Amino acid sequence: MVEERSVISKLFNGFNLFLLIIITLLCIYPVWYMLVVSFSDKAAVAAGQVFFWPKGFTLGAYKLILDDVQFFKSVGVSVTRVILGTITTFVVVVLMAYPLSKTSKEFKPRNIIMWTLIFAMLFNGGLVPWYMTMKTLGLTNSIWGLVLGGGLPVFNVILVMNFFRNLPKELEESAIMDGAGPWRILLNIILPLSKPVLATILVFTIVYHWNEFFQAMVLMTKNDQYPLQTYIRSLTVVTDLSKLDAESAKLLTSTSNQTLNAAKIFISMLPLLIIYPFFQKYFVKGITLGSVKG
């Protein structure tokens, strides 16, 4: 028998709905504001007249960014970095997390490796030793420097490891009785059951490689090797006025650092906004189950 909701219960649910709508709008508005500012004239932005709709609509900021061959080269570098970095990180994280999900009796070096990973996650040698290592390995001015520069994401390893440990042990035991080896168990049993956590680390890795910009500033000496984030950042840092033509100078007068920054922020987040909905259904589940300590 379903009991009728009381007036207090209805008011409480209505208040919760109203609160969630307000929180949702507060999360969406910064993104919308960046888009509106990027389409607005710099005078209106400087005067604080831009809130919900563009003032003095202009595409000047986007033209300054897009009207350059280097922009498309940087997009290509970023896409290549994301693809190679995601594949490399995915393989390394899974191959490390699976043996670490075993007990110390099943995998004797487990505790030593785990303490080493935790120590490496909490402490690092700093920028200079990192650069010297990358230079010694010949990873400067190379796409592999950007792919491997972040090292092993220990947090992702722990997330996947804990997810693996929460899977029913009976599945693996029955597979062993049927003659399956470690590779067969990992590929045919463990990974198909681990889609939530794998989708989660996939999102983490894509976001990291797409948004990271500092490593290219240190490792790359040529502008055509810059990924998108590093290239867009350099637009407001270096502007040679002597090389501007009449049209570019006109665009520059209608834009400011604020409108240009808004345009570059929106461009940089657009790909992630497109792909995130496809992984969202796995995202929360993957983090929740992967964070449970077994």
Side-chain angles (χ1 to χ4, degrees):
M1 182 177 178
V2 180
E3 296 182 358
E4 293 184 1
R5 294 182 178 179
S6 64
V7 176
I8 297 179
S9 177
K10 292 180 180 180
L11 290 175
F12 179 75
N13 291 336
F15 175 77
N16 283 341
L17 179 61
F18 174 77
L19 184 62
L20 290 175
I21 292 175
I22 294 298
I23 294 175
T24 301
L25 293 177
L26 289 176
C27 293
I28 295 176
Y29 179 70
V31 179
W32 175 252
Y33 180 74
M34 287 293 102
L35 180 62
V36 169
V37 170
S38 67
F39 286 128
S40 300
D41 183 76
K42 71 174 185 179
V45 175
Q49 299 175 352
V50 179
F51 297 100
F52 297 101
W53 305 105
K55 296 288 186 179
F57 184 86
T58 176
L59 296 175
Y62 290 95
K63 288 181 179 179
L64 284 176
I65 295 176
L66 296 176
D67 191 19
D68 193 343
V69 177
Q70 179 59 36
F71 173 83
F72 299 99
K73 291 182 180 180
S74 299
V75 172
V77 173
S78 290
V79 172
T80 304
R81 178 185 185 180
V82 168
I83 294 175
L84 295 177
T86 301
I87 295 174
T88 303
T89 301
F90 186 86
V91 173
V92 172
V93 167
V94 170
L95 292 182
M96 176 164 281
Y98 180 61
L100 291 178
S101 65
K102 308 298 181 183
T103 62
S104 56
K105 292 182 180 180
E106 296 172 311
F107 183 59
K108 293 183 179 180
R110 179 192 181 278
N111 292 338
I112 297 176
I113 296 176
M114 275 303 305
W115 280 111
T116 303
L117 288 177
I118 293 175
F119 181 85
M121 182 173 64
L122 298 176
F123 305 98
N124 65 78
L127 177 61
V128 174
W130 172 80
Y131 174 75
M132 293 176 64
T133 301
M134 300 295 288
K135 186 175 182 180
T136 303
L137 295 175
L139 295 177
T140 56
N141 291 319
S142 170
I143 187 64
W144 289 104
L146 302 178
V147 171
L148 304 176
L152 176 68
V154 180
F155 176 78
N156 291 352
V157 174
I158 296 175
L159 201 65
V160 178
M161 179 196 69
N162 287 329
F163 192 96
F164 287 170
R165 294 180 70 181
N166 289 323
L167 294 176
K169 296 293 183 182
E170 293 78 11
L171 294 174
E172 190 169 349
E173 292 173 355
S174 61
I176 294 174
M177 292 179 63
D178 291 337
W183 285 103
R184 185 72 176 273
I185 295 172
L186 175 63
L187 296 176
N188 294 351
I189 297 177
I190 302 298
L191 293 184
L193 295 174
S194 304
K195 290 180 181 179
V197 73
L198 296 180
T200 300
I201 66 168
L202 193 66
V203 172
F204 284 167
T205 305
I206 291 174
V207 170
Y208 167 76
H209 282 293
W210 184 262
N211 286 338
E212 206 284 325
F213 69 91
F214 181 73
Q215 292 177 5
M217 297 176 61
V218 178
L219 297 176
M220 304 302 174
T221 58
K222 301 178 180 178
N223 290 341
D224 58 358
Q225 295 175 322
Y226 280 173
L228 180 61
Q229 299 293 342
T230 308
Y231 167 70
I232 291 179
R233 183 183 182 278
S234 68
L235 290 179
T236 59
V237 176
V238 180
T239 303
D240 191 352
L241 298 178
S242 63
K243 296 182 180 180
L244 290 179
D245 53 21
E247 183 178 357
S248 298
K250 183 178 179 181
L251 290 176
L252 194 61
T253 59
S254 64
T255 60
S256 63
N257 282 342
Q258 191 171 355
T259 55
L260 192 59
N261 287 338
K264 72 179 183 180
I265 290 172
F266 186 77
I267 289 177
S268 64
M269 70 171 64
L270 188 59
L272 300 181
L273 292 176
I274 293 174
I275 68 170
Y276 182 80
F278 296 98
F279 296 94
Q280 194 273 338
K281 63 179 180 180
Y282 300 109
F283 194 70
V284 176
K285 184 178 180 182
I287 293 180
T288 304
L289 296 182
S291 63
V292 177
K293 296 182 179 180

